[in-house]
Amino acid sequence: MSSNPQNEPASAEEATADLYRRLFPSQESGMMILLAQLLFLMVLTSCHSLPSHHEVLARVNNEKLLTVHNEKGTLSPLEARHELAVAAGGKADLNWLHDLALGEQNLTNRPLYAGNRIELLVDGPETFRAIFAEIREARHHIHIETFIFRDDEIGQLMSELLIQKARQGVQVRVIYDSFGSTMATPAFFDRMREGGVEVHEFRPFNMITMVPVWHSHMRHHRKLFVMDGRVAFVGGLNITRVYRRSAAEPPAKPMIDDRWRDTHVRIRGPVVSDLQRVFIDMWNELHQDGSGKVIDDGQAGYFPPLEREGNSLVRVIYSFGGTDTYEVYDSHVHAFAKARQRIYITQGYFAPNPEFLAILREAREEREVDVELLLPGFTDVWITFHSSQGTYNTLMDANVRLYERRDALLHAKTAIVDNVWSTVGSANMDYRSFAHNNEMNIVVYDHEFVQDLEVLHEFDREQMHELTPQEWSERPFSHKMMEWLGSLVRYWL
């Protein structure tokens, strides 16, 4: 990564303000209809609150045994502890790390997988080069879940490559979210189907009727690629042209449709089998009504033998919108509650519940944990942006440091705790990801991978503008009003 010159704060503010004025009257199709429908829904239904952090932590039972799998099977307690020691690399207290991993297991009911290699991928060009290369090498199957699949230059490249692989006899399956992919025409997906790609549209979305509305607002937000059951990709990137250039390239001005800053990972090792299982279970659940072919996972090729590839311990955490389980939320809450040194967060959409904010405040005020949030200075969803800014006073009062990226649109979803825990995935830190969407993150226990993420965090921070309490107190009254409006619908964002 090469650093690009940081804009002067005043000029950055002017450029961002100009961008916002141009964006405000031309939001994505259906967003205002969606907001109106959700406001109506709020009147008809009561909101299910996310559990408080005290309720989450009360469910932790560290008397159970830590479950760790590797390429040969389930490890003994002694072997599991050895894997934790290798992942820690002397950078964390082993008893603390064991309690962290076991508590997370209790909350999520998900095992750890040892022996994985996690490769950090930054922004679109690097990520899609890696994904396209693995697709070209696929010989048995390609499985994809995405929120956005657009009919643009990136989407066309992906579509053509998938059709080519299907014609070569590779099984290609795609799950895309209907609302996220409204900018793509039905003909775009029909062409893939005609080319041999099995395509499923998750909850077909009608922007006018949106019937039933309580189902329409629950979306499939995951981003997952699995090729031949041997390699997988997870992170924040969708299939769209906004990733055609890297955020590290020199900007002319902030743009809503270019140079998005995002983070993805390539995964090799035993945990790929768990990611494969997540896709197959989802696909078969969606097609149990006979609308498409289910996958016979007993056939050869879906779960090939996997070798040890590295030292990362990885847990796959996923959630389903509209249920009363919140594994992604619980995982974050538990890790932040256990933090001793630092909590570094990079988030494209940050608008969580008050209890989530409280645990960050407690980490900073009661344990003197270094808490930093890297957040967008402009975004593609104005109501979420202002709802996010409505949390800034609470955080600043606790001396949490806040930074805004104003030269590129920040979309990444990552977090770091101390020297060994990290997470990357599709989930934002807001009600929508925690309670309403289907999401997927991986949690990585590995001091070397955390070191890579910290380098990226520091690089990103250098490109950003740090907000001060005085500067924030002097923001225009109109901004405060928008924050208040955003707070009213935060649960549905």
Side-chain angles (χ1 to χ4, degrees):
M1 295 177 297
S2 59
S3 177
N4 49 299
Q6 185 176 4
N7 292 335
E8 292 296 322
S11 61
E13 290 171 0
E14 291 169 1
T16 304
D18 177 68
L19 173 67
Y20 189 77
R21 284 191 295 270
R22 290 185 282 112
L23 285 175
F24 188 85
S26 58
Q27 299 302 313
E28 258 189 48
S29 297
M31 181 55 68
M32 296 308 297
I33 295 173
L34 176 62
L35 182 58
Q37 294 273 12
L38 294 181
L39 286 170
F40 177 66
L41 180 62
M42 290 173 63
V43 177
L44 295 180
T45 64
S46 59
C47 298
H48 293 285
S49 298
L50 288 166
S52 72
H53 61 290
H54 299 297
E55 292 171 325
V56 172
L57 299 176
R59 302 202 326 266
V60 174
N61 176 9
N62 284 346
E63 294 180 2
K64 298 180 180 180
L65 294 177
L66 181 65
T67 301
V68 180
H69 302 306
N70 70 0
E71 70 279 8
K72 298 177 182 178
T74 304
L75 302 183
S76 69
L78 185 61
E79 291 170 326
R81 196 170 180 86
H82 172 73
E83 291 290 351
L84 281 175
V86 172
K91 303 294 184 180
D93 176 76
L94 197 53
N95 290 328
W96 170 86
L97 182 58
H98 182 272
D99 288 346
L100 175 65
L102 182 56
E104 186 175 75
Q105 174 185 296
N106 295 165
L107 293 168
T108 64
N109 295 312
R110 304 294 303 163
L112 278 170
Y113 287 80
N116 304 284
R117 176 159 59 94
I118 314 298
E119 178 186 354
L120 186 62
L121 301 170
V122 182
D123 293 345
E126 182 179 17
T127 301
F128 282 115
R129 275 196 300 271
I131 289 175
F132 287 155
E134 297 293 352
I135 288 176
R136 293 187 183 98
E137 293 297 317
R139 295 295 178 265
H140 184 265
H141 65 267
I142 299 164
H143 291 160
I144 300 172
E145 296 182 44
T146 186
F147 178 59
I148 298 173
F149 200 144
R150 285 196 175 158
D151 183 6
D152 55 28
E153 54 261 55
I154 297 296
Q156 289 284 352
L157 284 172
M158 181 69 72
S159 172
E160 291 299 322
L161 187 53
L162 296 179
I163 291 171
Q164 177 184 339
K165 298 304 294 187
R167 289 173 175 167
Q168 293 172 3
V170 175
Q171 301 171 36
V172 184
R173 301 178 177 94
V174 176
I175 302 171
Y176 74 91
D177 185 81
S178 180
F179 175 71
S181 304
T182 52
M183 301 297 286
T185 64
F188 173 70
F189 295 108
D190 288 343
R191 185 173 183 277
M192 279 195 280
R193 292 185 179 97
E194 292 165 2
V197 178
E198 296 182 66
V199 181
H200 181 88
E201 179 184 13
F202 183 84
R203 286 187 176 159
F205 181 81
N206 186 317
M207 291 186 294
I208 305 301
T209 62
M210 282 176 48
V211 177
V213 65
W214 48 88
H215 284 168
S216 295
H217 86 92
M218 299 174 190
R219 307 314 315 175
H220 194 70
H221 196 243
R222 297 176 187 169
K223 291 89 174 166
L224 170 67
F225 287 77
V226 181
M227 292 79 162
D228 288 348
R230 296 183 180 278
V231 61
F233 294 83
V234 171
L237 277 79
N238 293 289
I239 305 171
T240 166
R241 71 190 297 271
V242 300
Y243 296 111
R244 64 191 183 277
R245 292 201 301 148
S246 170
E249 295 183 31
K253 57 183 177 180
M255 297 179 67
I256 204 70
D257 63 348
D258 193 18
R259 299 176 59 257
W260 282 31
R261 167 67 192 89
D262 219 327
T263 302
H264 229 70
V265 291
R266 174 161 41 190
I267 308 166
R268 297 185 188 276
V271 76
V272 174
S273 65
D274 204 27
L275 291 162
Q276 177 80 298
R277 170 57 56 198
V278 172
F279 178 90
I280 290 176
D281 286 351
M282 187 74 205
W283 181 271
N284 287 348
E285 174 71 19
L286 293 173
H287 295 91
Q288 64 179 350
D289 60 356
S291 59
K293 296 179 181 178
V294 298
I295 300 172
D296 181 0
D297 57 11
Q299 292 184 353
Y302 291 113
F303 292 95
L306 298 172
E307 300 298 325
R308 186 181 186 95
E309 299 281 351
N311 294 324
S312 293
L313 282 160
V314 182
R315 194 190 313 275
V316 179
I317 298 177
Y318 55 93
S319 59
F320 296 94
T323 66
D324 291 328
T325 56
Y326 311 103
E327 285 85 354
V328 176
Y329 172 80
D330 292 347
S331 171
H332 282 87
V333 166
H334 181 253
F336 295 165
K338 298 287 286 185
R340 293 177 171 182
Q341 299 171 341
R342 67 183 60 82
I343 299 172
Y344 287 171
I345 294 170
T346 302
Q347 265 294 318
Y349 306 95
F350 181 84
N353 58 315
E355 292 286 348
F356 194 88
L357 296 176
I359 207 161
L360 294 177
R361 286 180 59 105
E362 288 179 10
R364 184 74 192 108
E365 294 177 330
E366 298 179 11
R367 304 195 306 278
E368 298 184 349
V369 174
D370 181 16
V371 183
E372 292 185 358
L373 273 71
L374 308 186
L375 302 168
F378 66 95
T379 188
D380 58 330
V381 184
W382 64 270
I383 190 69
T384 304
F385 178 68
H386 286 295
S387 180
S388 175
Q389 291 189 327
T391 68
Y392 288 6
N393 281 331
T394 298
L395 295 167
M396 285 185 178
D397 288 344
N399 293 317
V400 172
R401 301 183 72 175
L402 303 176
Y403 299 81
E404 285 189 345
R405 183 82 187 244
R406 296 176 173 177
D407 68 322
L409 195 149
L410 181 65
H411 191 257
K413 305 107 172 34
T414 67
I416 298 168
V417 169
D418 292 4
N419 296 312
V420 71
W421 184 97
S422 63
T423 186
V424 179
S426 68
N428 297 299
M429 293 180 186
D430 58 14
Y431 280 101
R432 173 140 300 281
S433 284
F434 289 151
H436 305 315
N437 285 344
N438 298 342
E439 301 285 0
M440 176 187 292
N441 276 36
I442 61 165
V443 171
V444 182
Y445 293 80
D446 182 353
H447 73 281
E448 292 185 353
F449 182 70
V450 165
Q451 187 174 39
D452 289 343
L453 272 181
E454 284 184 348
V455 170
L456 181 59
H457 180 92
E458 292 168 2
F459 174 80
D460 283 333
R461 187 173 56 203
E462 291 174 358
Q463 319 308 314
M464 294 188 170
H465 172 71
E466 183 173 8
L467 293 172
T468 65
Q470 180 178 350
E471 175 190 0
W472 190 241
S473 67
E474 295 172 352
R475 69 194 185 282
F477 178 76
S478 60
H479 286 203
K480 298 177 183 179
M481 285 298 298
M482 294 300 293
E483 293 160 23
W484 176 76
L485 288 171
S487 70
L488 296 180
V489 294
R490 185 172 294 154
Y491 178 82
W492 298 104
L493 297 178

